Amino acid sequence: MAMRSVVVDKIGSVTQALNLKHDLRISPDDIPAEEGVVLVVEILTNKSTYNTLELTSGRMAKVVKGDIVVGALGPRRALFGYSGHVPKSVKAGDIIQMLNIGGVLGVCDSANPDKGTPFDCKVLGVALQFPHLGERIGVPARVGRTKLDYNVTLETNGVPVVALAGTCMEAGKTAAAAAIVSRMRHRGLVVDAFKATGVSLRRDILAFEDSGARNTMIFTDLGVVTTTEKSGPALTRAMLTELSARKPDAIVFELGDGLIGTYGVAAILECEDIRKAMTSVVLSANDPVAAWGGVKILREKYGIEPSCVTGPSTDNSVGVDIIREQMKVKAFNAITNGAALGDSVIESIGLAAKFPAPAAN
């Protein structure tokens, strides 16, 4: 395998688990056209919108024409973003696109007008790793610290689990999860958190960490760039089992995308063992109609009674009252009433007495 050195400008967060340096070895030959394979590309265009890359540090950096960037092959099917696929073959010199701000690379099939056309990228080669100490035999780098076991069994060890589901992308799930984690920490709980579905991007789990989560995980840690109906259940089982073994007082996890989508949320909720593991399910909804539909889906399709509703549908008292009166579900806004949201969730998982609320000043 031919090999050369290259100095890269920016390393996408999709590769975070690999701890890559800016001085890399790459090969232009025998590039596997598979999800998770790490590529080095040159940015060929400029953009005025959606023009940043999330780095492995979590910082957002502006991308410009001429930048040498590290990303990873993967598909994406996002309602409010780009839709694209992994090409059947990849070789040096090919032009592909950057499908998200975490550094996912593929062929764009459809673009959201608000985001503009994606960055065009010229493939320079596949990034190499050297797993054999003392040998200069490079192998194509792949995202993740370990490979997903699709036959993993679920064991929560009795740890209460809170799941955040949404009616759509951008329905406020991450803000709600962060508010819940924060309130749990204020009340003395040790909380671990993870993101089960979506396209590789670390800002959500960084928000969980900033809110006080002790341990966090994301599907990318298990080598998956974009979740699907096939991978979603196994990923959820694996992360629930791994975090439960660390004995937190509670686990909070976010289901990226919506109840109706392409990232595997429905497949996860259809699994009886995962449903039984979820002690409390919080629904994030964009508006009262979405809240009504989301509650209906959870109740009638999955037999899940949501513990409360949050999201933009609760931005003022009008939406809160509609949800409480017409759907008979508690409703709290995560931004303006995060403590009450967290208190309600803590009560729903049976830990209110063990971890009483701090006395008011």
Side-chain angles (χ1 to χ4, degrees), residues 266-281:
I268 291 169
L269 296 178
E270 287 168 357
C271 296
E272 184 178 2
D273 60 334
I274 298 176
R275 290 200 307 272
K276 287 182 176 179
M278 296 188 300
T279 318
S280 178
V281 176

Side-chain angles (χ1 to χ4, degrees), residues 28-51:
D29 303 326
D30 301 321
I31 302 174
E34 301 167 5
E35 178 178 351
V37 171
V38 178
L39 300 183
V40 176
V41 300
E42 179 184 353
I43 303 299
L44 300 180
T45 50
N46 284 313
K47 281 171 56 64
S48 59
T49 60
Y50 207 65
N51 60 353

Side-chain angles (χ1 to χ4, degrees), residues 68-244:
I68 306 300
V69 172
V70 182
L73 286 170
R76 188 185 187 196
R77 296 185 65 194
L79 178 63
F80 296 142
Y82 302 128
S83 176
H85 65 276
V86 175
K88 293 182 178 180
S89 64
V90 182
K91 62 182 184 297
D94 283 354
I95 308 301
I96 57 177
Q97 286 76 45
M98 186 175 292
L99 301 178
N100 89 326
I101 58 177
V104 176
L105 301 168
V107 176
C108 183
D109 302 314
S110 179
N112 187 296
D114 291 339
K115 301 294 192 293
T117 56
F119 282 115
D120 282 333
C121 312
K122 183 173 73 173
V123 176
L124 301 182
V126 60
L128 299 177
Q129 288 183 301
F130 299 86
H132 306 295
L133 187 64
E135 295 186 13
R136 302 221 12 109
I137 301 174
V139 299
R142 297 173 185 267
V143 302
R145 56 175 175 76
T146 188
K147 189 174 181 179
L148 174 63
D149 176 7
Y150 279 87
N151 297 314
V152 65
T153 56
L154 175 57
E155 178 54 69
T156 62
N157 297 304
V159 176
V161 175
V162 179
L164 278 292
T167 57
C168 190
M169 294 175 63
E170 302 178 12
K173 297 181 296 294
T174 303
I180 292 166
V181 169
S182 177
R183 185 58 173 174
M184 285 180 168
R185 290 296 300 125
H186 288 165
R187 289 183 59 167
L189 283 77
V190 175
V191 188
D192 291 345
F194 69 93
K195 186 168 183 180
T197 60
V199 181
S200 295
L201 196 63
R202 303 196 76 87
R203 65 183 178 191
D204 293 347
I205 61 168
L206 291 174
F208 302 159
E209 292 175 9
D210 291 343
S211 299
R214 179 190 61 173
N215 299 303
T216 60
M217 293 184 69
I218 187 171
F219 48 86
T220 320
D221 297 335
L222 301 177
V224 175
V225 172
T226 302
T227 61
T228 62
E229 292 183 355
K230 178 183 176 182
S231 63
L235 287 163
T236 304
R237 292 187 183 103
M239 289 187 278
L240 277 174
T241 299
E242 181 170 336
L243 291 178
S244 295

